[in-house]
Amino acid sequence: MSKWAPRLTALVLAAALVVVIVTTTPWHLIDLPTPDPALDFTQAEIARQQAFRAELLPWSTTSWVLSVLVPLVIGFSPLGRRLYDALRISRWYVAVPLLIAGLGLLTSIITLPTDILAERILREYGLSVQGWGLWARDRAVNWLLVALAITAIAVCLIGLARRRRTGWWLPAAIVTALLVLGVSFAYPVLVEPRFNNFTSMPAGPQRDDFLRLAAEDGVPVEDVLVADASRRTTALNAYVSGFGSTRRLVVYDTLLKETPPAQTRLVVAHELGHAAEDDVLHGTLIGVLGAAFAVVLLGALLGARMADPRRTAALLALIAIGTTVSGPVQNLVSRRIEARADYHSLRLTNDPQNFVAMEHNLAVTNISGLTPSRWRYWMFASHPTAPERIAMGRAWAAAHGSSVPSR
């Protein structure tokens, strides 16, 4: 196979990825006034979130930087190969998973001090209510799941490269894309139960209202699940995950306990917007194309060298780079999709007053950042800020002949 084949295929996949992102992302919904936190948040509320972020972000940011630097330093230095050789295991398909799990554990240990400090701040501000045992257990489960996922990809890539020195990238791209598709489909039933217990929402007027709202929206919802999030946090949230037979609408028990029914209804309407627009399916399609593109790009960069299992640490470093570089694009798309779900909730409920009240309540309870720095907004923000979302509520009200007064 020509050495140009992976390069041309990568270009085709990159073009397909751009087309899918451009055509499925809602770039403009409604003209918004300039977001202004002072319109809806008291000085005390603004000061509290600023103090919270000033204490938390140095530690959380340091953890993030370390989680990127560790695989880069090890992967792009002789240390990565030396660690593989130190295992002294002749069967590469045993050594590779052990190295991946070990490097993941090393990263967790290195970030442990800053993660502990961040968790202590979450507790001081009342956002985290979990014990240290549960916190450690969640970290261990997350480490194991990530190691399993990366191991599946690495073994696939190395195994196919060893079997087919040239052209391995094509079947590898297909298999990796199928893995992404399978994980997205199975995530609600395989991964989510590892962190929360889910029960059907008890029968009653609120549950009936949610199901009626879904029926009005044309979204088939057979059940509403409640996650026992209060074991870990006081934060308020809801989400839709999976697609097809695994799609589920989940609300935190904290949301049901702490939020007025009219505001909870708007949160559910937002999540129904994700289901109505098949956002999970579209996101999965982008993930499938992105994974295939990444594998083909590896084929263009490494070629037959991918067959060397001693390059496993370098592969982890490349994954870290790809994840970091793609983060701002993923967040940009996510913010637009979340804005569309907000717009959908306003159309479905025609209740801008409670929409604004709900966004204020969520921001105050979750201590959300109201005016994050530009680089942090682009790098980490998967949702619009509360002032941006409130501005949409006001714009919707104005476009439909009403208004929402400021505080």
Side-chain angles (χ1 to χ4, degrees):
M1 188 175 290
S2 168
K3 68 178 183 179
W4 292 99
R7 301 175 188 178
L8 292 174
T9 305
L11 286 175
V12 171
L13 286 171
L17 190 58
V18 170
V19 168
V20 170
I21 290 175
V22 169
T23 56
T24 63
T25 303
W27 299 108
H28 181 74
L29 297 165
I30 190 172
D31 292 329
L32 301 181
T34 302
D36 184 0
L39 290 176
D40 299 278
F41 296 88
T42 66
Q43 287 301 313
E45 290 168 343
I46 294 173
R48 182 169 183 260
Q49 66 86 28
Q50 288 176 338
F52 171 69
R53 292 171 67 80
E55 293 183 44
L56 177 69
L57 292 184
W59 305 121
S60 61
T61 303
T62 301
S63 285
W64 172 74
V65 170
L66 290 173
S67 70
V68 175
L69 284 180
V70 169
L72 294 185
V73 170
I74 294 176
F76 292 147
S77 71
L79 183 57
R81 295 190 181 192
R82 291 173 185 167
L83 288 173
Y84 182 90
D85 293 337
L87 293 174
R88 297 185 178 181
I89 298 175
S90 59
R91 292 178 175 82
W92 69 268
Y93 49 84
V94 176
V96 166
L98 287 177
L99 182 62
I100 291 172
L103 291 180
L105 182 59
L106 175 63
T107 303
S108 289
I109 292 172
I110 290 175
T111 60
L112 183 61
T114 50
D115 288 342
I116 288 175
L117 290 168
E119 173 65 15
R120 289 182 60 137
I121 292 166
L122 291 173
R123 294 179 183 210
E124 289 173 9
Y125 279 81
L127 272 179
S128 178
V129 294
Q130 63 187 337
W132 287 109
L134 183 56
W135 181 82
R137 177 259 181 204
D138 284 350
R139 284 175 63 90
V141 171
N142 185 70
W143 161 73
L144 179 60
L145 292 175
V146 171
L148 286 173
I150 296 178
T151 293
I153 294 171
V155 168
C156 166
L157 298 182
I158 296 171
L160 287 170
R162 290 171 68 87
R163 190 177 184 85
R164 300 175 57 175
R165 292 286 174 151
T166 60
W168 61 266
W169 48 268
L170 183 56
I174 295 172
V175 172
T176 304
L178 290 175
L179 281 173
V180 171
L181 180 66
V183 168
S184 181
F185 178 79
Y187 189 88
V189 293
L190 292 182
V191 177
E192 290 177 7
R194 307 286 80 79
F195 296 97
N196 287 109
N197 296 318
F198 300 89
T199 56
S200 294
M201 186 175 177
Q206 193 171 30
R207 182 180 186 277
D208 293 342
D209 181 48
F210 293 166
L211 295 177
R212 185 165 50 250
L213 192 66
E216 293 172 2
D217 201 22
V219 177
V221 173
E222 296 182 2
D223 198 5
V224 179
L225 298 182
V226 180
D228 61 341
S230 58
R231 289 196 302 154
R232 294 174 171 83
T233 183
T234 59
L236 312 176
N237 198 12
Y239 63 88
V240 169
S241 61
F243 55 89
S245 61
T246 66
R247 184 167 66 188
R248 52 170 55 182
L249 170 62
V250 178
V251 295
Y252 278 18
D253 57 353
T254 52
L255 183 71
L256 296 176
K257 294 173 184 175
E258 304 298 335
T259 306
Q263 294 181 27
T264 306
R265 189 173 192 265
L266 277 151
V267 175
V268 171
H270 170 101
E271 301 306 330
L272 291 174
H274 286 308
E277 297 289 347
D278 285 323
D279 287 338
V280 175
L281 186 58
H282 290 154
T284 300
L285 175 59
I286 292 173
V288 164
L289 288 173
F293 166 73
V295 171
V296 174
L297 188 60
L298 277 176
L301 293 174
L302 299 180
R305 290 175 293 174
M306 188 70 248
D308 183 3
R310 297 174 74 235
R311 295 182 181 274
T312 298
L315 175 61
L316 297 182
L318 290 172
I319 291 174
I321 291 175
T323 302
T324 304
V325 170
S326 64
V329 176
Q330 294 178 33
N331 285 325
L332 171 61
V333 173
S334 176
R335 286 193 299 271
R336 300 291 184 174
I337 289 173
E338 294 297 336
R340 179 173 62 189
D342 284 342
Y343 191 77
H344 184 94
S345 71
L346 286 163
R347 286 196 299 111
L348 184 59
T349 63
N350 192 25
D351 189 3
Q353 296 273 356
N354 275 307
F355 177 88
V356 169
M358 175 266 293
E359 293 296 349
H360 172 269
N361 184 35
L362 291 181
V364 170
T365 303
N366 297 346
I367 325 182
S368 304
L370 303 179
T371 54
S373 63
R374 184 172 296 274
W375 81 269
R376 190 174 293 281
Y377 181 79
W378 283 97
M379 198 70 212
F380 300 112
S382 61
H383 290 61
T385 65
E388 288 174 330
R389 304 175 92 165
I390 288 172
M392 176 179 284
R394 286 208 167 87
W396 167 269
H400 290 79
S402 64
S403 63
V404 180
S406 57
R407 63 176 176 85

